[in-house]
Amino acid sequence: MVNIAILGFGTVGSGVAEVLAKNSAHIDQKVETPVRLKYILDVRDFPDNPFGDKIIHDFATIENDPEVDIVVETIGGAGVALDFTRRALSAGKSVVSSNKELVAEHGCELLQLAARKGASYLFEASVGGGIPILRPLSQCLAANELTEVCGILNGTTNYILTRMIRAGLSFDAALREAQANGYAEADPTADVEGHDACRKICILAAIAFGRHIYPRQVPTEGITGVTLADVAYAESCNKKIKLLGRAIRQDDGRICAYVAPHLLDGENPLSGVEDVFNAITVKGDAIGDVMFYGRGAGKLPTASAVVADVMDAARHIKSRKRVEWGPGGEDVTVSPERLETAWYVRAKGRVDAVRAGFPGVALLSRSGAPAEEVAFLTPVMTGAEVLERLGALEPQSLFRVLD
Amino acid sequence: MVNIAILGFGTVGSGVAEVLAKNSAHIDQKVETPVRLKYILDVRDFPDNPFGDKIIHDFATIENDPEVDIVVETIGGAGVALDFTRRALSAGKSVVSSNKELVAEHGCELLQLAARKGASYLFEASVGGGIPILRPLSQCLAANELTEVCGILNGTTNYILTRMIRAGLSFDAALREAQANGYAEADPTADVEGHDACRKICILAAIAFGRHIYPRQVPTEGITGVTLADVAYAESCNKKIKLLGRAIRQDDGRICAYVAPHLLDGENPLSGVEDVFNAITVKGDAIGDVMFYGRGAGKLPTASAVVADVMDAARHIKSRKRVEWGPGGEDVTVSPERLETAWYVRAKGRVDAVRAGFPGVALLSRSGAPAEEVAFLTPVMTGAEVLERLGALEPQSLFRVLD
């Protein structure tokens, strides 16, 4: 018998309770012991809910109950969730989490604490919702020296960009539609400014490259600056605008990680990832490119990833699962400033200035472009070099271009 | 210290030796003990090869050496490979294999033998080359009741179809090109007739649904009947022809598995999988659709999947990894005859006959079509119903259509 406590009865927490109940026979058979939901911690009561009788309000009940083997943390944030996670691990209980903010900020510390206490700390659901990515990254691709992880990591922004591209909606209109459909929150800042994608690329990079990377070390640009003009220019050269999180291992072992909109070639498998779907590509020395694709959010996909971790932790109650990475530090990362790529430039100015700064580039065109608007793709160079060569051109949009 | 023996020094076997050597430091650190290649079994000698001093010719040396912990079987086929695998497992050694034919025919027996002997039998590389799919299927998606596994499982046929679609090559010309590029063997039967894809869908279905399914239970149609006329008609309705292996769980728990060419809608993520790439989609009750994409073959991708299994087996020398499924039987599968889908029909005959048998369907068109050639998509029905309704129409191509 393995006993579970869920912290937080919101969307993901209630989804976990549902999946545990619905697939109970299947889960018990796979784990080879009954898996029982014992407590749900929430500040609210849910008298009419089928799981209402599991609700408690005091974390100490869970912390002090030796029968509780696994704590599922779906509270979110790095406040009380951090306190409860530390206390659960200190009590020798394994913790399964969908909390990307907590893992991105405190993952290294919590993994070390889990190791000392002989417990597991697992968080497959924190990246890519239901897409299995963290475990394949740490296990199946273990024989590879990984060189890059790159992905469409946020379903809300991908939905907004898809609607801008397909339906010609402005950013504001697409955002309102996403909110109406429940794909974006009332305060969409964490999504549209790229903070959510930033936390996820931090976690992916830590697993791929073995060192903690803090969100503050990852320059992050969201999609609020993407206009329909940019969408039209991208289409004119068979490219799509996507918000990517990237982490690239440099030859000196340091990691260059950032989040920004990119123009992706139509042949790139990530360019076909539409709506709320997420996808993550991994490059390894032996394997080449591998891609993982699926729903990056949503109650049941995320809950199914949490429950898979619960099952894994339950099977390893006596022999902890090893997922680990080393501590972070300023020397771990390097700024993307030195990373050379092609660039898409949209600017106010004259064609002469383009010819002077970027000899030989082809101008892009779109219908309805105002006079004195120019757009083009540069050769491969740093962002600083682009800015230097712009001269009298006044940049409006500046995005990296990937094949 | 963990000692490895490789059986068969062909493409995959030599790739495994290379990956083990090249990433040795990284591998030893992850496994937390040195992983050493002790023997390579082959009938040939390789005096000038850097691994030439490991070559031996007698399997008994490996079988009787208590230092050998893990045997890597890259011989292929179900002859001597079966004998050596049985003997290695019987001696308590774990076996890692890339041999899809052996797993598809004898997987259940070999897994049971491994379980009795406290050894692991792992074969991630047998499906999808370097794409991590079997472990995510059994672990990460464990919380789901899976309903379907479907994929582009053979790189050779996908390359041929891509060249027919993109370059307008005939099947024969595309096959010759694939052979010239090393993507198809001199005898391409196992690929172009679908046998290779058939073995892979058997393995995927066994892991997803828990019962052994024999290749002879899986109706298999290859791509030799696909013509440029079919490619053109598919294009005219924004679809692509792809060879799919599918395994679908029926409501009564039985499995409907088959391999055949399909017309896939342009919106289907599998439709964008080109050249030698493979991709596998998995449907679960909680997770929705998830897709895994990458190089399905090739020396280093396949070798990296083998080495990941070796590392996993090495970490679990004392506590066997559990991958298991139940025995097969005639009652496990159900014929795809009863599976209803839309169909693509190309036939000799008159439009009147189409109107009579399939009232209301739209005719497809292509340039250069001979007189008395008709093509159309049917409503959802069984294959038998399509044949019955054809009447005087003489069918030339009949492929299922998926959204």
Side-chain angles (χ1 to χ4, degrees):
Chain A
M1 168 88 81
V2 170
N3 286 286
I4 313 290
I6 296 174
L7 312 185
F9 199 55
T11 304
V12 177
S14 60
V16 171
E18 275 174 41
V19 171
L20 282 173
K22 177 161 179 283
N23 294 340
S24 165
H26 171 76
I27 290 167
D28 292 357
Q29 186 209 330
K30 285 230 172 190
V31 176
E32 298 179 5
T33 185
V35 174
R36 185 177 63 146
L37 176 58
K38 188 164 183 184
Y39 303 117
I40 298 169
L41 181 81
D42 204 286
V43 290
R44 300 162 293 177
D45 274 308
F46 297 84
D48 301 326
N49 189 288
F51 300 102
D53 62 325
K54 311 278 191 199
I55 296 280
I56 59 168
H57 306 294
D58 183 1
F59 179 70
T61 308
I62 293 166
E63 186 179 19
N64 297 323
D65 184 341
E67 280 191 0
V68 173
D69 305 293
I70 300 170
V71 173
V72 173
E73 186 267 298
T74 65
I75 299 172
V80 68
L82 174 60
D83 179 43
F84 289 171
T85 299
R86 280 184 181 143
R87 285 163 61 187
L89 291 171
S90 296
K93 302 175 193 309
S94 288
V95 175
V96 172
S97 176
S98 62
N99 185 338
K100 50 206 162 262
E101 186 176 350
L102 189 61
V103 179
E105 291 289 354
H106 301 280
C108 183
E109 173 210 325
L110 294 170
L111 285 166
Q112 287 176 351
L113 176 57
R116 283 202 304 277
K117 296 293 178 177
S120 299
Y121 184 48
L122 300 173
F123 37 83
E124 179 65 66
S126 66
V127 179
I131 309 171
I133 171 67
L134 301 188
R135 193 170 284 104
L137 201 56
S138 63
Q139 288 190 347
C140 311
L141 306 174
N144 285 257
E145 285 283 359
L146 300 179
T147 52
E148 179 173 346
V149 183
C150 173
I152 294 172
L153 301 171
N154 180 272
T156 306
T157 47
N158 204 48
Y159 180 84
I160 291 170
L161 290 172
T162 301
R163 293 298 291 162
M164 290 174 73
I165 293 167
R166 289 204 173 178
L169 299 182
S170 70
F171 170 80
D172 289 326
L175 171 59
R176 280 194 303 273
E177 191 186 271
Q179 286 169 323
N181 288 334
Y183 298 149
E185 297 182 48
D187 177 0
T189 312
D191 291 321
V192 300
E193 297 293 358
H195 304 151
D196 177 77
C198 171
R199 291 167 189 146
K200 291 169 177 169
I201 197 66
C202 287
I203 298 171
L204 289 166
I207 292 186
F209 306 120
R211 295 292 297 272
H212 195 93
I213 291 167
Y214 292 96
R216 63 179 160 70
Q217 293 177 289
V218 178
T220 295
E221 178 186 348
I223 63 164
T224 53
V226 177
T227 67
L228 286 176
D230 300 318
V231 167
Y233 282 124
E235 198 164 33
S236 77
C237 55
N238 188 33
K239 299 191 194 298
K240 283 200 184 147
I241 302 182
K242 295 286 179 190
L243 182 67
L244 299 184
R246 292 182 80 198
I248 307 148
R249 190 176 180 280
Q250 306 294 300
D251 288 339
D252 65 3
R254 289 197 290 174
I255 310 305
C256 173
Y258 68 97
V259 174
H262 288 71
L263 265 65
L264 281 187
D265 191 81
E267 297 276 299
N268 188 308
L270 289 174
S271 76
V273 177
E274 306 277 25
D275 296 321
V276 295
F277 283 86
N278 282 197
I280 297 132
T281 57
V282 179
K283 268 194 223 306
D285 62 346
I287 207 172
D289 278 8
V290 176
M291 184 173 84
F292 302 84
Y293 167 97
R295 290 188 180 276
K299 177 176 182 163
L300 292 181
T302 307
S304 89
V306 170
V307 174
D309 272 352
V310 167
M311 293 168 67
D312 207 18
R315 277 191 295 246
H316 291 81
I317 289 291
K318 305 268 182 258
S319 68
R320 195 177 58 81
K321 289 285 294 180
R322 270 173 305 201
V323 181
E324 259 164 57
W325 58 66
E330 295 315 313
D331 62 318
V332 172
T333 54
V334 61
S335 158
E337 278 169 22
R338 282 190 283 166
L339 185 70
E340 298 188 342
T341 53
W343 295 79
Y344 157 80
V345 179
R346 181 172 62 87
K348 257 194 198 158
R350 296 164 51 110
V351 174
D352 296 353
V354 179
R355 299 268 171 259
F358 303 89
V361 302
L363 287 168
L364 303 176
S365 63
R366 66 172 179 114
S367 68
E372 303 249 310
E373 179 182 83
V374 292
F376 54 95
L377 307 182
T378 76
V380 172
M381 59 184 70
T382 65
E385 188 172 355
V386 174
L387 292 176
E388 194 183 298
R389 292 205 200 180
L390 281 174
L393 294 167
E394 192 184 316
Q396 315 256 289
S397 295
L398 190 59
F399 305 139
R400 291 181 190 267
V401 181
L402 295 186
D403 289 337
Chain B
M1 167 90 80
V2 169
N3 286 287
I4 314 290
I6 296 174
L7 312 184
F9 200 53
T11 303
V12 178
S14 61
V16 171
E18 275 174 41
V19 171
L20 282 173
K22 177 160 178 282
N23 294 340
S24 165
H26 172 74
I27 290 168
D28 292 356
Q29 186 209 330
K30 286 231 172 189
V31 177
E32 298 180 4
T33 186
V35 174
R36 186 178 60 147
L37 176 58
K38 187 163 183 185
Y39 302 117
I40 297 169
L41 181 81
D42 203 287
V43 290
R44 300 162 293 178
D45 274 308
F46 297 84
D48 302 326
N49 189 288
F51 301 101
D53 62 326
K54 312 277 190 200
I55 296 280
I56 59 166
H57 306 294
D58 183 1
F59 179 70
T61 308
I62 293 166
E63 187 179 18
N64 297 323
D65 184 341
E67 280 190 359
V68 173
D69 305 292
I70 300 170
V71 172
V72 173
E73 186 267 298
T74 65
I75 299 172
V80 68
L82 175 60
D83 178 44
F84 290 171
T85 300
R86 281 185 182 142
R87 286 163 61 186
L89 291 172
S90 296
K93 301 176 193 309
S94 288
V95 175
V96 172
S97 177
S98 62
N99 184 339
K100 51 206 162 260
E101 187 176 349
L102 188 61
V103 179
E105 292 289 355
H106 301 279
C108 183
E109 171 209 327
L110 294 170
L111 285 166
Q112 287 176 349
L113 176 58
R116 283 202 303 279
K117 295 295 178 177
S120 299
Y121 183 50
L122 301 173
F123 36 83
E124 179 65 65
S126 66
V127 180
I131 309 172
I133 173 65
L134 301 187
R135 193 171 284 103
L137 202 56
S138 63
Q139 289 190 347
C140 313
L141 305 174
N144 286 258
E145 285 282 359
L146 300 179
T147 52
E148 179 173 346
V149 183
C150 173
I152 294 172
L153 301 171
N154 179 272
T156 305
T157 47
N158 203 49
Y159 180 84
I160 291 171
L161 291 172
T162 301
R163 294 298 290 159
M164 291 174 72
I165 293 166
R166 291 203 172 177
L169 298 183
S170 69
F171 171 80
D172 288 328
L175 171 59
R176 280 194 301 274
E177 191 185 271
Q179 287 170 322
N181 286 334
Y183 296 149
E185 297 183 46
D187 176 359
T189 312
D191 291 322
V192 300
E193 297 293 358
H195 304 150
D196 177 77
C198 171
R199 290 165 189 149
K200 291 169 178 168
I201 197 66
C202 287
I203 298 171
L204 289 166
I207 292 186
F209 305 120
R211 296 291 297 273
H212 195 93
I213 291 168
Y214 292 96
R216 62 178 160 72
Q217 295 178 289
V218 179
T220 296
E221 178 186 348
I223 63 164
T224 53
V226 177
T227 67
L228 286 177
D230 300 318
V231 167
Y233 283 124
E235 197 163 34
S236 76
C237 55
N238 188 32
K239 299 193 193 299
K240 283 200 186 149
I241 301 182
K242 295 286 180 190
L243 181 69
L244 299 184
R246 290 180 82 197
I248 306 149
R249 190 175 179 280
Q250 307 295 301
D251 289 338
D252 64 3
R254 290 198 288 173
I255 309 305
C256 173
Y258 68 97
V259 174
H262 288 70
L263 264 66
L264 281 186
D265 191 81
E267 297 277 299
N268 187 309
L270 289 175
S271 76
V273 176
E274 306 276 25
D275 296 320
V276 295
F277 282 85
N278 281 197
I280 296 132
T281 57
V282 179
K283 267 194 224 306
D285 62 345
I287 206 173
D289 279 7
V290 176
M291 184 173 85
F292 302 83
Y293 167 97
R295 288 187 182 276
K299 178 176 183 164
L300 291 181
T302 306
S304 90
V306 169
V307 173
D309 273 351
V310 166
M311 292 168 69
D312 208 16
R315 277 191 295 243
H316 290 83
I317 288 291
K318 304 268 182 260
S319 66
R320 195 178 59 82
K321 287 287 292 179
R322 272 173 303 199
V323 182
E324 258 165 58
W325 58 69
E330 294 315 314
D331 62 316
V332 173
T333 54
V334 61
S335 157
E337 279 168 21
R338 283 190 283 166
L339 186 70
E340 298 188 341
T341 54
W343 294 80
Y344 157 80
V345 179
R346 181 171 62 87
K348 257 194 198 156
R350 295 162 53 110
V351 173
D352 297 352
V354 179
R355 299 267 171 261
F358 303 89
V361 302
L363 288 167
L364 303 176
S365 63
R366 67 174 178 113
S367 68
E372 302 251 311
E373 179 181 83
V374 292
F376 54 95
L377 307 183
T378 76
V380 172
M381 59 184 70
T382 65
E385 189 172 354
V386 174
L387 292 176
E388 194 183 299
R389 292 204 198 182
L390 281 175
L393 294 167
E394 191 184 317
Q396 315 257 288
S397 295
L398 188 60
F399 304 140
R400 291 181 190 266
V401 181
L402 295 185
D403 288 339

